[in-house]
Every structure is written in C-alpha cells, then in structure tokens.
Amino acid sequence: MTPQEGFSPDIIGFLCNWCSYAGADLAGVSRFQYPPNVRIIRVMCSARVDPAIVLEAFVRGLDGIMVLGCHLGDCHYLTGNYYTEKRVKTVKSVLESVGLSPERLLIDWVSASEGERFAALVKEFTETIRELGALGKEANCDIQQLKTRLAAAKETLTRDRIRWLVGRERELTEDKNVFGERVTQEEFDQLMFQTIEKEFEKRKILISIGDDALSIKEIARKMEASPGKVLRNIVSLEHDGLVSVVGIEGNSPKYRRVRG
Amino acid sequence: MDDVRVGVFICHCGTNIGGFLDVLRLVDYTQSLPNVACAKDNKYTCSDAGLTEIKNAIAEKKLDRVVVASCTPRTHEPLFRSTCKEAGLNPYLFQFVNIRDQCSWVHMQEREKATEKAKALIKMGVARAALLEPLEETEVEVTPCAMVIGGGITGMTCALSLAKRDFEVKLVEKEERLGGTLNSLYRLYPTQDEASKLIQAKAEDLQKNPKVEVLTSSEVKEVKGFVGNYDVTVKHGENDRLLKAGVIIVATGAEALKPTSMYSYNGENIISQMELEQRLEKGKLNANKVVMIQCVGSRNEERAYCSKVCCLTALKNAMLIKEADSNAQVFVLYRDIVAQGTQYEDYYGKARETGITFIKYSPERKPVVEKGSVRVYDELLNEELTIPYDLVVLSTPMISHHDSAILAQKLKVPVDKNGFFLEAHVKLRPVDFATDGIYVCGCAHWPADISESISQAYAAASRASIPLSVGHVKTEPLTPVVNEDECTGCSLCELTCSFQAIRVEETEKGRKAKVIAASCKGCGACGAGCPHKAITMQHFTDEQLLAQIISLGEVKP
C-alpha cells in the first residue's frame, strides 16, 4: 500500500500509570524524539481500557490506537495486563469483521525504564498507520457502510455474551473446569470467533433496519450481504425478541426493531 | 455541566516548555474552549507565585475545576492537588495535562506540530475536567491485633516484638509446641549456642507476655476480610475459633529436603545433615571418618536455587565433630562454599584450620557413594580420589513448606515457582505482600539463617505495626461503584479482581457485587470487563475517558 499524500494519522495511546506512562515520561527526560501524532490518555492500569471504548475511538475517526501496559508479570495490579491482552485480542478480531486492519490497534508492554523503546514504538506505529492510510481506507466500502459497521462493532463489544467470554478466557483456557477439563486455546478462539461473527451480523442488521420496516431483501441490499445470511440472523433476532414482523408486502415479511 | 468553571494554568517551565511550544497561542486557544473561565500562563506554575495564582483564581474567578498543563502528574499532581485543597477545592477536581515530558521535550524540532498537539491535549484535559467529580478518602478502623502464623524462631520473634509495642498478638502454631525447625537443630552457627536454649528463652518470654495468646496444635482454616479487618477461622482439634486481626504475618518457615533416593541415602550410615544434628545432640555419632556432600538436590534443574545455609551448617557440624574427637577425619565435598560476610568468612577460615578437608567437585562429575567409600573427582587436583567413610552426610536445601501453597490460597497471596511466598517487591518491599496488611518473614519467604530470620521478623513487625498504630487505614477514592439495577451477580468482577476487593453477596435485590473499598487498589479492571457495564470506575469513568476521545475526534481536520 502506498502512503496517502500528506496524511498525518491521529492516534490515541492508552498508557498505564505505573509502567508505560512512566516510560513515556522517561523518553521525554531523555529527549528521545518521536512523531507528534499520538495523544496520550492516562489510565491507572491498561485493564481499565474497555473494549467498547477502543471501538468508540475508531467510531470517532481516530486512525490508530495504542494500548500500552507493564510487561506481563510486572503489572502493578498483578494480573491487569493479562486481561488487557485478552480484551485487545477480541477487539482486533472485531476490527477484522469490520474490514479494518487489526494493525490499527497495537498492544505492547513498556516498562518505566524503557523510554527509548517507547519512542521507537511510537515511531514504528505512526509509520504503520501512515502506510495504512486514513481509517477505513482498507475496508473498500463507502463511508456510510463503514459507519454502520463500526457502530455494529461497538455494540458487539457491549454485548454481555462477548464480554463474559472475554473475561473468562484465562480461566477457561488455563485452569481446569469443575469437570477437570480444559478448553484448548484453539477451541476457545473458534468459539469466540463464531460468537463475534454472529453478534456483529445481528447488530449490523439492527442498525440497517433503523426505524424502518424492511424486508430481508431490502436489508441485504443495504448491508451489501446475501439474503440467505440475513434470513438466518433475522430468525435469531426474532427469537431474541429484538425484531418482529409488522406486515407482509407481496410475499415478503417486513421487519421492524422492537425497542425498549 | 454548563455552569462548570474551569481554570487552566499553562506552564512555561522556564524554557523547557516555552522554548519549544507557543505558550501564548495555547493560552489564546484555551480561552476559547467551553467551560473555561480563565486561562493563564506562568513562568513556573509550581513556584510559590504560580501556586498563589491558582489559589487566588479559585477564589476570585469562582473556579470549580483546575487544569494545569505542565510537566507530569507522576511528580507534580500531589502538589497541585494539595494547592486546590488549601483553596477549598476538592483535590479530585484537579486535572493534569502533560505538555512537557510527553510533548515539548519529545518534539523539540517541530514547534508548530508540537503546539497543535499541546492544544489537543489541553482540550482533552478541559473536557475531562468538566466531568470530574469530588471524591472523599474514606477511613476504616483497624482491629488492634496481629495474627502471626507460625511459631518458629521467626514467628516468636515477630510476635514478641509486636507485643512489646503493646499490640495484642495471636500466635498460631500447627505443632504441639513452639520452636519449629529449631527443635530439630543442635547448635547454631556461628556462636555454637544450643538451639534449645534460644527456643526456651523466647518461649518463656512469650508465656510471660500478657499481650500474646499462643495457640498450638492450631491451623488457619479460612481467611476473610481486608487490611485492618481480617476474620480468621483457626481450627484447633475439632473446634473452630473465629479471630479478628488487623494484620497478618506469615512466618511458616520451610522444611529440609529429605534426600530419598539420592546418593544411596538410607538414614543409617548415609544420612541428611538434619539427622546428623540429632545424632550430635544425643552424642551418638560412632563415626571416625565422615564425608559430607554439599548441594544435594539443589542448584540443579529441578531446584535451581542455592539454599545458602547448608554450607555453614556443614562447617558447623564438621567443626563439632572435630571438637569432640580431633582424630576424626572430616571431608566436605563442595561445589562452592557460600559464606559471605566477615563473620562467616572467618568461620570458614576457622573450619579450615581445624583440619577439615575440603574437596571441590563439579556438577558434571558428581561424587559417587559406594559401599564403604566415596569416589570423587577433585576439580583442583584434577584427579579422582577414593575416600573411605563410616558416615556420609548429605546437605540438602530448604524447600518450601508442603502447606505453603494451601495457605497462600487462603490468604490470596502469591508464591514463587519454588513454592516460597513472594513479596510485593524484591528490593523495595521485601517483607510486604502486594495485598495490604499481610507480611512475610523468615524461611517462608526464602531460605534464611537465624539472624536473617530474626531481622526479617523485626522488619515485618515494624511494617505491620504501621496500620496498627495509626489505628485506621485511608483508602484512595479511586474505587468502582456498582449499579445494582444493572448487576446480575455473574461474579466475573470477582474473578477479575486480584485483591478480593469486589465480592458478590446476597442482597434484598438478589446476588449483587459489593465493593470493599479498603481492599481496592483502583485499577478499574472489573468495570472494563463487566458484561452488563454495571460498574463505574470513579475518577476514570467511561464518560471522562470518552470526553477525552470525543474532544480529540473534534479536532480532526
């Protein structure tokens, strides 16, 4: 991909107070120079970074996001960064569903003594995003479609089912369950992927319907998806009580969102 | 939020900021931001003049939020917070914007772009400041009682030290009598004092002290609570007793590795150093030719560490044998003699003078114990020696107590890969756990000799007496708040929290998460993972973070 002419990316960096923020300060004290594209938001622990907030930053048009914490094993709060790792992995997976490069989201570890490393990371990440271009360039869709997908992605990450799975990943894959069994990482990733896909598609349908009453064909056209796929998901949405049939036009039922 | 009045103070920091950013342009820009009641620049905001200006502005301009754009919150946030407090403003209504360490110092050649970045950072800071809420530190009373787990030399010393400070102490020992490992030792290096005398003296002091209650044949069954307010259930026979303690000290010691299936160990003429202690005490050695082998079961793949006390123990016992019978032949087969410190170096020198033979072997060519003799390749002579013996003594390392992992789970504190209790910080907090109000000392933490164990016991007693003597613990208000209407009691937060600071309990509305503020460290991991977004992290709320993101979205061209 060739870099966009004159494109200067807007990047947010979520930095934990104890390691990476201190590392960023050290880069300053040591006068390591790096590109001025990153705006830092300080949090006490990288585990404060809610997946939905990361998505919100993309919704607001940011081109890249860095989440930096203490090195694994060094977390000021003992285990926070292990959760961050799992959460960011999930957001990356959702970004792929949107059609965005997962490289737009970086997770890495910077200790309080790694000022030079922090500067290098910012430099490298800024360059990566500059090459990717403005947000959505790689998604091959119009701006409206991108907005729908990002909104659906954000809603996906607020779904309890997804959040519950993310929160349990360490326990499920690392410890044995009450039956003495352990879920393999592969099995878990597969389950996670399927759950994300399903939630994401369903959210997209809901957003596409909006306040209208639409047939499956109309929804599929709006989403640029196959009617078969829409049908499968709309049945599930109907089952969840999130859409209902409000009338039939010709042979096609029309669906409307159930609000509240 | 419309009536919020934010005051913004932008620091030149001499030329550290002013030399690389257009500060006056930042002031102009800041004045145009919503909710900003005043924006000023200072040569040094942290100087007396700067701080006075903030205080005056709070009064004159009726500010209810203060933003300082300058160096870094890591060094200067406490100062500006207390300035706000002095002026009657809640310190949590203060917001820091880092335009030096993370802006002027790292974009020194890019005045224009760096100034634009600083504008964005200030805008983000002002947006967050407008949403800040006043927070109050809370105080929790501390139960003026310490529980010491383990009645060996370390636990006894720690308990006595706390009792002498007039705190109540519960000393819990699993065995029938106090003394721990010292009960199995004869004499102690480097003074050659009898272990039993030391134990007896300590035990008598403890019995005499009315502040200490000694609970022998007792075990910790369950631990609940947090710093200042621990509820510990102690099992004594069939009976459980609930004890309240403000702090807990872990002094459970270690055990010596039994050299089963190493070097033909048989417990008769091939014994461990611990077994030798007992034979020496009874005066029944019946051996004239003694071979000691060091590093048995330690400094290998399975146990990489050096147990540190075994060299000196071997020196001591070798000297005791020579003392009893100067004609006895004693060989010490070693890899390295670990005897640091002037006292111990001298002790080693003394041992050499008594005529003990030291032979260096390498882990690649370990000694071989055969019937009646030991074959060893002497690394310094470069030749194989055959040494006849009456008795072989194996120096094994201290290993973590077999119960340590179970106790660690009850206390919710970590152990290292060898099963020893793991302190909060190897250099800076050597006797604290990361969990407030729990401390560790002696061999529970790592192999230590008696003087080290006693030092650590004093250290732990001293650390533990801080919350006990202050009488209350203050908790930073960076804690989560649970919205009970949204909470489903799924307990994911409980799983996520490393500090047991959030617990699902039965309430009138069903199972709901409850925050234990005194235990909470304020990381925010629970809220960011809550499936129903029922947890709000105070001072780092979603709204506050989003305000920063949104204001950044707005400055996009």
Side-chain angles (χ1 to χ4, degrees), chain B residues 149-150 181 250-255 399-401 404 420-421 441-445:
Chain B
I149 308 172
T181 308
V250 178
T252 46
E255 27 189 282
I399 55 172
S400 59
H401 198 281
S404 65
F420 290 104
F421 285 93
C441 50
C443 296
H445 168 250

Side-chain angles (χ1 to χ4, degrees), chain B residues 298-531:
Chain B
S298 66
R299 300 174 72 204
N300 56 14
E301 263 179 36
E302 192 191 347
R303 245 170 258 103
Y305 63 91
C306 164
S307 172
K308 195 166 67 175
V309 300
C310 352
C311 279
L312 287 151
T313 304
L315 294 180
K316 176 203 67 181
N317 289 341
M319 279 196 273
L320 289 172
I321 294 169
K322 290 292 276 185
E323 220 170 83
D325 176 5
S326 59
N327 291 323
Q329 287 181 297
V330 185
F331 296 85
V332 177
L333 316 187
Y334 70 99
R335 281 171 58 186
D336 301 285
I337 293 289
V338 173
Q340 322 100 308
T342 48
Q343 281 246 3
Y344 295 163
E345 282 288 349
D346 291 348
Y347 194 70
Y348 179 33
K350 224 169 92 191
R352 293 198 86 108
E353 282 166 19
T354 58
I356 299 162
T357 311
F358 289 88
I359 297 168
K360 186 175 169 72
Y361 77 89
S362 79
E364 291 76 35
R365 302 174 82 157
K366 281 188 190 142
V368 180
V369 177
E370 290 168 340
K371 205 165 181 244
S373 63
V374 176
R375 267 194 300 119
V376 60
Y377 188 84
D378 188 319
E379 285 293 310
L380 303 178
L381 285 178
N382 276 331
E383 93 184 51
E384 191 169 80
L385 306 173
T386 303
I387 310 164
Y389 67 84
D390 303 323
L391 184 68
V392 172
V393 183
L394 307 174
S395 289
T396 55
M398 276 195 229
I399 55 172
S400 59
H401 198 281
H402 66 276
D403 278 349
S404 65
I406 299 166
L407 181 62
Q409 256 177 9
K410 289 176 189 162
L411 292 167
K412 319 258 176 23
V413 296
V415 291
D416 68 12
K417 64 176 180 208
N418 294 303
F420 290 104
F421 285 93
L422 189 65
E423 73 283 2
H425 191 287
V426 62
K427 267 192 207 302
L428 306 177
R429 295 174 65 192
V431 297
D432 299 358
F433 282 110
T435 309
D436 288 339
I438 310 184
Y439 310 85
V440 63
C441 50
C443 296
H445 168 250
W446 198 243
D449 65 20
I450 287 157
S451 66
E452 285 171 324
S453 297
I454 289 177
S455 305
Q456 290 178 23
Y458 286 145
S462 161
R463 294 292 289 166
S465 63
I466 294 174
L468 292 177
S469 49
V470 172
H472 57 80
V473 281
K474 268 199 176 166
T475 57
E476 258 227 286
L478 303 188
T479 52
V481 177
V482 178
N483 177 351
E484 290 199 345
D485 295 336
E486 296 293 328
C487 176
T488 61
C490 77
S491 75
L492 188 63
C493 49
E494 205 178 297
L495 176 81
T496 308
C497 180
S498 292
F499 304 96
Q500 295 76 51
I502 194 159
R503 246 196 333 242
V504 174
E505 285 172 5
E506 208 60 58
T507 71
E508 283 173 10
K509 296 186 200 168
R511 284 169 58 76
K512 301 289 172 193
K514 289 265 180 229
V515 176
I516 299 130
S519 300
C520 178
K521 301 278 185 186
C523 66
C526 54
C530 175

Side-chain angles (χ1 to χ4, degrees), chain B residues 86-198:
Chain B
E86 282 167 31
L89 190 66
N90 184 289
Y92 291 89
L93 297 176
F94 168 77
Q95 169 69 28
F96 214 108
V97 177
N98 184 329
I99 59 167
R100 188 189 72 180
D101 297 38
Q102 296 176 4
C103 191
S104 69
W105 276 353
V106 289
H107 314 304
M108 296 169 92
Q109 316 298 331
E110 299 179 277
R111 191 180 179 85
E112 184 56 36
K113 284 182 180 167
T115 303
E116 286 304 311
K117 172 172 165 179
K119 276 163 72 174
L121 292 173
I122 292 171
K123 186 175 186 198
M124 289 162 75
V126 170
R128 177 166 190 264
L131 295 172
L132 290 175
E133 281 166 31
L135 298 171
E136 298 297 335
E137 288 179 336
T138 47
E139 278 183 12
V140 185
E141 270 193 47
V142 172
T143 308
C145 173
M147 172 167 291
V148 179
I149 308 172
I153 185 67
T154 311
M156 289 196 289
T157 306
C158 188
L160 266 176
S161 177
L162 284 160
K164 281 180 187 160
R165 289 165 213 217
D166 227 23
F167 297 119
E168 248 182 73
V169 184
K170 309 281 181 201
L171 179 59
V172 182
E173 167 57 46
K174 214 163 64 168
E175 304 296 330
E176 280 173 21
R177 59 172 179 149
L178 295 172
T181 308
L182 255 64
N183 287 329
S184 326
L185 300 184
Y186 172 39
R187 284 176 187 273
L188 307 171
Y189 69 76
T191 55
Q192 316 294 78
D193 288 337
E194 278 178 50
S196 57
K197 285 197 178 150
L198 178 59

Side-chain angles (χ1 to χ4, degrees), chain A residues 25 33-34 48 50 79 163, chain B residues 72 108 498 530 533 542:
Chain A
D25 278 352
Q33 306 295 295
Y34 55 79
R48 171 62 191 92
D50 189 316
T79 53
R163 294 170 72 88
Chain B
T72 168
M108 296 169 92
S498 292
C530 175
K533 295 189 77 71
D542 277 6

